[in-house]
Amino acid sequence: MQQLAGNLEGVAAAALNCGSNDNTFRTRGLSGHILGGSKVQRAHPQTGDEGGACPGLAGATVWAGQWDVGDCAPVPVAGPDGHVTRYGLEWLAKNSYEGQKQQVVHPRILWNAEIYQQAQVPSIDCQRFLQTDEGLKEFLQSFLLYGIAFVENVTPTKEHTEIVAKRISIIRETIYGRMWYFTSDFSRGDTAYTKLALDRHTDTTYFQEPCGIQVFHCLKHEGTGGRTLLVDGFHAAEQVRLQAPEHFELLAKVPLRHEYVEKVGGCHNHMIGVGPLLNVYPWNNELYLIRYNNYDRAVINTVPHPVVRRWYHAHRALTAELRRPRNELWVKLKPGKALFVDNWRVLHGREAFTGYRQLCGCYLTRDDVLSTARLLGLQA
């Protein structure tokens, strides 16, 4: 076979290209994303760690030719030291840049109230959730697809809620502690600690990395009102993308500051988080995080004034979509019913209430939830 000489940045620029109309691969235009750019990394046979990176790759060689996807023979690539690495075609197809542009990282079902209710997504019984992998997998599948999931028949105490939460993740300790527990006593400088209605929002936008998952469990309510509002932020954002793509693009580019200042009792905190309202993966433009909280949004001083005016128009369009009644799912939380919310996707709120109401919950680390899902064979 003819050899293509050149440095492996040449391989990063010169080998496998995925044919768009057939099932063949050619050794032309291999994206650096496949081979790690200017590094060839050899994975440890037991750990899988790519610790042996070779920064100098001048003289690396890839064999020219054409392979059918059904071929079993791997594609050989030779390094300057004579070491030959062979790449399976299935792996190359999966990791090609063109392939990645057409794949979603996280499969989801976008919903409004009618879509979610018609899906009749089942809640998971607490014992089945805690004691079987099947129950846990069913719960996580629902959570990954819809961004919300429920566990029923949880003993209504903070301690048992913690046991349920730790089934899928390490608890993320924040300025609110590990397991938070509150009533409407305004013991913290946050509107959640009142009886007032709360508009739809995501939590901890003032953290550099907003908390990934939130757990709610109503332990007691002796009164009226207090229903929980849930809105699929990704569904609303995709509607904006379809109707006014220039608004979506602006909301995904302009960095915002969110700020939380607290001086109540012994709690003194000043938190600032910076990031765009919508966050997308740059290679496929897939939305992965919405940071929406009008209570905590600070002054917009990160872009020129003409851009600020355009941003407010875009924000108004998204807000109008988020506030459409058809997008609002109202749920009455009750003792024994724990709610898990994807805080990077689903906005939550609350109607005003009367009487005495106790809630407990916590934040979970997103990485650990996704790791648990992958170990059970789910795409996450």
Side-chain angles (χ1 to χ4, degrees):
M1 289 186 184
Q2 179 186 2
Q3 293 182 344
L4 296 178
N7 61 41
L8 202 44
E9 287 188 65
V11 174
L16 240 113
N17 189 21
C18 180
S20 58
N21 297 320
D22 56 27
N23 287 330
T24 60
F25 287 87
R26 299 173 181 83
T27 53
R28 295 197 299 272
L30 176 62
S31 166
H33 298 282
I34 291 178
L35 298 180
S38 61
K39 295 183 180 181
V40 168
Q41 297 182 334
R42 301 174 190 168
H44 189 281
Q46 292 179 321
T47 67
D49 291 340
E50 296 177 340
C54 305
L57 294 170
T61 303
V62 62
W63 279 261
Q66 178 172 309
W67 290 267
D68 189 273
V69 172
D71 291 343
C72 296
V75 179
V77 178
D81 59 354
H83 178 85
V84 176
T85 302
R86 292 176 172 82
Y87 294 90
L89 291 177
E90 183 179 350
W91 185 91
L92 286 168
K94 179 180 178 181
N95 290 279
S96 69
Y97 177 64
E98 291 300 322
Q100 288 299 306
K101 284 200 302 184
Q102 300 170 23
Q103 296 180 21
V104 296
V105 178
H106 304 290
R108 301 183 178 95
I109 296 175
L110 305 185
W111 53 269
N112 57 24
E114 182 181 8
I115 292 172
Y116 184 82
Q117 289 164 350
Q118 288 183 350
Q120 296 184 324
V121 183
S123 299
I124 307 300
D125 177 74
C126 182
Q127 291 307 308
R128 186 163 177 263
F129 173 81
L130 291 174
Q131 297 176 7
T132 71
D133 285 347
E134 292 78 11
L136 178 60
K137 184 175 182 178
E138 185 178 335
F139 168 88
L140 286 169
Q141 181 68 82
S142 297
F143 180 81
L144 293 172
L145 289 177
Y146 295 97
I148 56 175
F150 297 89
V151 179
E152 298 274 9
N153 302 317
V154 180
T155 303
T157 66
K158 184 171 72 171
E159 292 73 23
H160 283 86
T161 306
E162 181 175 1
I163 291 171
V164 168
K166 289 169 67 176
R167 173 71 164 130
I168 62 170
S169 170
I170 296 170
I171 292 174
R172 177 174 175 178
E173 187 162 1
T174 68
I175 58 175
Y176 303 105
R178 280 174 50 81
M179 293 293 299
W180 41 259
Y181 172 91
F182 68 87
T183 63
S184 53
D185 58 2
F186 207 67
S187 60
R188 301 293 300 264
D190 193 296
T191 318
Y193 290 75
T194 71
K195 295 182 179 181
L196 301 175
L198 294 176
D199 192 22
R200 62 226 69 203
H201 64 281
T202 59
D203 269 17
T204 60
T205 53
Y206 41 77
F207 288 179
Q208 282 296 92
E209 181 187 326
C211 293
I213 287 87
Q214 186 165 13
V215 182
F216 292 102
H217 188 190
C218 180
L219 305 181
K220 180 184 294 186
H221 184 198
E222 299 168 348
T224 62
R227 289 182 304 163
T228 295
L229 169 63
L230 300 168
V231 179
D232 187 353
F234 286 6
H235 177 269
E238 292 299 340
Q239 292 301 307
V240 172
R241 196 202 304 246
L242 286 173
Q243 298 162 14
E246 70 281 5
H247 287 342
F248 184 97
E249 183 178 359
L250 197 62
L251 294 173
K253 286 185 175 179
V254 174
L256 300 177
R257 293 171 68 250
H258 288 81
E259 190 168 9
Y260 177 71
V261 180
E262 178 184 33
K263 293 182 180 179
V264 177
C267 301
H268 293 180
N269 294 290
H270 188 172
M271 316 297 293
I272 295 178
V274 180
L277 196 152
L278 303 177
N279 296 257
V280 299
Y281 294 123
W283 61 88
N284 66 356
N285 218 27
E286 178 185 344
L287 181 62
Y288 70 87
L289 165 64
I290 181 169
R291 188 191 294 251
Y292 184 98
N293 193 315
N294 291 328
Y295 296 105
D296 299 320
R297 178 160 47 84
V299 175
I300 303 177
N301 54 13
T302 54
V303 289
H305 179 66
V307 179
V308 174
R309 290 178 62 89
R310 289 169 46 220
W311 184 90
Y312 272 110
H313 285 298
H315 184 271
R316 188 176 297 116
L318 176 60
T319 298
E321 193 64 39
L322 289 168
R323 289 180 175 171
R324 294 191 191 281
R326 65 171 177 261
N327 292 329
E328 298 178 343
L329 178 67
W330 290 94
V331 178
K332 178 65 174 179
L333 296 183
K334 58 184 181 180
K337 186 173 187 174
L339 166 64
F340 290 68
V341 178
D342 184 344
N343 188 56
W344 283 21
R345 170 183 173 180
V346 175
L347 286 68
H348 66 277
R350 178 188 72 200
E351 69 177 350
F353 64 92
T354 66
Y356 182 71
R357 187 172 183 257
Q358 285 182 340
L359 256 77
C360 78
C362 61
Y363 297 113
L364 303 181
T365 61
R366 187 176 191 82
D367 288 333
D368 288 284
V369 173
L370 298 181
S371 172
T372 301
R374 294 184 193 113
L375 290 173
L376 290 170
L378 298 172
Q379 182 178 348

